[in-house]
Amino acid sequence: MGEYLIGIDCSTQSTKAVAWDLQGRAIAEGRAPLRVSHPAPGWAEQDPAEWWESTAAALRQVAATVDARRVLAVGLAWQRETFLALDADWQPLRPAILWLDQRATREAAEARQDFGAERFLEITGKQLDTTPSFVKLLWMRAQEPERFRRVAHILDVGGYLAGQLTGEARSCTAGGDSLGLMGTARGAWSEDLMGYLGLPTAVLPAVVPPGAPLGRLSSEAAEATGLRASTPVVAAGGDGQVFAVGAHAPGRDAFSLTVGTSLVLGLHWPSYRVGPAYRTMAGCYPDSFLLEAVLRAGADIVRWFVQDFARGQSEEAMEAAISNVPAGCLGLLTVPYWKGRMVPTNAPLARGVTVGWSDYHTQAHFYRSILEGMAYEVRLCIESYERELGVAPSEIHMGGGGALSPTWRQIMADVSGKEVVLSAAESTALGAAMLAATAIGAYATAAEASAAMYRPTLRIAPRPQVAALYDGLYRDYYAQLYPLLEPILVALGRQALENNTPGR
């Protein structure tokens, strides 16, 4: 019979809500799915109404288990870069366009020339590719001009959910920055970027710092969720930034690694800096920034493989099948650019490739090669960080759905040569609860809350003999593969997106 904090993580595939006690123990959990539609190759959209429906459903599941009177606050985290355009009556003008959508390749290329890739990087900390909402708004201006002329409000997922929960559509600097519309160093919307779009900054939501109140739960939201009206709702921030708090990676000694729909490697830094090896995000700790390297397709590739290649099998069955596949997959290598490359060089049109096939390879070899390919990418990013920043973190704090795979997390340790520390499966929801704890004064700072509520579950050390095998494969083959094939892989990606009309 204690007091609880609820952390919400509204991500790409589902919304999770978890009630935690003040020592970081999970008490109750709710989960509801989200659908992603793909109207054309490279496109990804969602119905924003489902964000609220899934969030309310997840919260109702938690409220059915815990006493709502003991819930001290709710912390909100959400998927980043996704945006919703609304008219003057707050009605959606079209489905929300997701972070992984790649329709705006032409607009991104034009903006790199006209606005300037370096200028964009300096203002936002982000690469000017198809990821930021900035270029998708350019696409909307070019392809849907009548809708664009009616844009009166632009919300990220956090702003939309804050409106549903409290009646006030406010967002957070650590999360709102992902739209590519903010001067990240200042934590304020950019007049230069919005001027280029031809929109006033007034169409964007007010933003608060991480760990600040968004408002209180409205009576309507309380009825929909089963929680108590007037419960404080706190801005945690974008899911990747909040995960780094939940995984307790506050300084330069440990990487955070989210293995979710995408794969995100993060390192906190005390000052604003930009570079090619990472994108710079507003941090959830005061006066900090999170340097991130992103593989746009992470566990999403695993889901794709199981659905399209291992029909009738489950991820659990494939996990068992690869236990008999040796490290290195008998010479099978996969470069996992299913949705382009972001760092250490930016190539959104790049596509993946698997090489080394022979008749002794099976479905299980292919599956394991995908997991190994993503681990090689993590190592590639780590080496880029170490070269540019002069750091050498010894640990990777890993979480997310993909971290539940014992084989995958051991591969991460063996390929990287670093100890993998397994964090809570729902580390983003935990981070949201940690930030909510600071808002109500349960802990003085986010760092204090993170230290007190973090409960690592397992440490996985590299196995020297296997690590040596992977080291040779990485240096002699993997690291050379993409540079050799880049022109072909980029040309194939361009061909697919430019010829995406069904039956053409």
Side-chain angles (χ1 to χ4, degrees):
M1 297 292 291
E3 293 176 313
Y4 310 117
L5 300 152
I6 295 178
I8 298 171
D9 174 16
C10 184
S11 58
T12 309
Q13 303 289 339
S14 65
T15 300
K16 287 80 68 179
V18 183
W20 309 86
D21 68 15
L22 288 169
Q23 288 71 49
R25 290 183 286 256
I27 305 301
E29 179 178 333
R31 181 184 297 264
L34 285 165
R35 293 177 296 178
V36 179
S37 64
H38 300 280
W43 291 31
E45 299 180 343
Q46 278 179 330
D47 178 355
E50 292 192 18
W51 299 338
W52 172 235
E53 292 166 5
S54 66
T55 299
L59 287 171
R60 284 195 300 273
Q61 294 170 41
V62 174
T65 302
V66 303
D67 184 347
R69 293 171 298 179
R70 296 184 179 274
V71 176
L72 301 175
V74 175
L76 177 62
W78 58 88
Q79 63 161 301
R80 300 175 294 179
E81 290 109 2
T82 294
F83 80 97
L84 175 65
L86 304 103
D87 65 17
D89 295 321
W90 293 90
Q91 296 303 306
L93 289 165
R94 62 167 345 279
I97 302 180
L98 269 62
W99 59 272
L100 51 82
D101 187 285
Q102 293 183 290
R103 73 184 69 189
T105 53
R106 182 178 292 108
E107 288 74 19
E110 291 171 354
R112 282 194 292 271
Q113 292 292 321
D114 298 340
F115 188 85
E118 291 300 319
R119 181 184 175 196
F120 186 84
L121 178 65
E122 190 59 40
I123 294 171
T124 68
K126 319 298 185 289
Q127 285 75 29
L128 186 43
D129 60 12
T130 57
T131 306
S133 303
F134 173 73
V135 298
K136 290 152 188 172
L137 284 163
L138 290 174
W139 176 90
M140 190 177 172
R141 186 178 71 181
Q143 302 299 324
E144 299 178 342
E146 293 199 9
R147 286 177 173 168
F148 187 82
R149 281 193 289 271
R150 295 169 58 202
V151 170
H153 307 282
I154 295 170
L155 294 178
D156 60 357
V157 178
Y160 179 86
L161 288 177
Q164 297 295 322
L165 288 164
T166 71
E168 297 183 66
R170 297 198 289 173
S171 187
C172 179
T173 52
D177 67 318
S178 71
L179 299 180
L181 301 172
M182 181 179 287
T184 300
R186 298 185 301 109
W189 302 117
S190 168
E191 296 280 358
D192 285 350
L193 290 163
M194 296 303 290
Y196 185 81
L197 286 169
L199 293 170
T201 56
V203 303
L204 295 163
V207 290
V208 301
L214 287 166
R216 291 182 175 271
L217 201 69
S218 68
S219 56
E220 295 82 2
E223 184 177 353
T225 62
L227 298 179
R228 179 173 48 89
S230 296
T231 301
V233 180
V234 176
D239 50 11
Q241 290 124 304
V242 176
F243 173 87
V245 175
H248 190 53
R252 306 183 199 184
D253 299 328
F255 288 107
S256 62
L257 178 62
T258 315
V259 188
T261 301
S262 60
L263 195 151
V264 184
L265 184 76
L267 183 72
H268 278 105
W269 203 257
S271 60
Y272 184 72
R273 64 178 294 160
V274 299
Y278 48 82
R279 62 182 190 177
T280 306
M281 315 297 293
C284 287
Y285 295 114
D287 302 317
S288 76
F289 296 89
L290 187 66
L291 310 182
E292 286 188 347
V294 180
L295 179 64
R296 290 165 59 93
D300 202 31
I301 305 181
V302 172
R303 193 175 299 111
W304 162 85
F305 181 91
V306 170
Q307 290 176 351
D308 289 359
F309 281 85
R311 295 175 183 174
Q313 304 259 18
S314 64
E315 290 182 29
E316 292 75 18
M318 292 307 304
E319 177 83 17
I322 61 176
S323 63
N324 296 318
V325 175
C329 301
L330 301 179
L332 201 65
L333 283 175
T334 293
V335 176
Y337 298 153
W338 264 231
K339 290 182 171 67
R341 189 188 212 213
M342 288 185 68
V343 292
T345 59
N346 191 261
L349 289 173
R351 291 297 174 263
V353 63
T354 301
V355 299
W357 285 106
S358 189
D359 56 5
Y360 44 74
H361 289 125
T362 67
Q363 185 182 73
H365 288 84
F366 188 16
Y367 186 75
R368 184 181 176 111
S369 78
I370 290 172
L371 303 186
E372 290 181 347
M374 285 188 271
Y376 288 135
E377 279 300 300
V378 170
R379 175 166 172 174
L380 189 72
C381 293
I382 287 173
E383 290 183 351
S384 296
Y385 276 76
E386 292 176 341
R387 283 193 305 271
E388 180 166 338
L389 302 173
V391 297
S394 59
E395 296 180 350
I396 299 173
H397 292 196
M398 181 177 175
L404 299 176
S405 163
T407 303
W408 204 356
R409 59 196 186 222
Q410 184 64 64
I411 290 172
M412 285 289 184
D414 292 335
V415 170
S416 69
K418 298 184 184 294
E419 186 173 47
V420 168
V421 182
L422 188 63
S423 301
E426 299 302 338
S427 290
T428 301
L430 176 57
M434 290 170 175
L435 288 155
T438 66
I440 61 169
Y443 294 101
T445 65
E448 184 182 315
S450 180
M453 298 175 69
Y454 176 63
R455 304 170 70 85
T457 58
L458 187 65
R459 288 182 174 270
I460 304 105
R463 297 169 296 179
Q465 189 172 358
V466 179
L469 170 65
Y470 279 131
D471 184 67
L473 289 169
Y474 172 79
R475 292 184 183 280
D476 295 340
Y477 306 109
Y478 187 86
Q480 300 180 44
L481 194 55
Y482 177 73
L484 288 171
L485 296 177
E486 180 177 27
I488 295 172
L489 297 179
V490 170
L492 288 172
R494 180 178 294 107
Q495 193 273 344
L497 290 178
E498 290 177 353
N499 296 277
N500 61 10
T501 304
R504 187 169 175 175

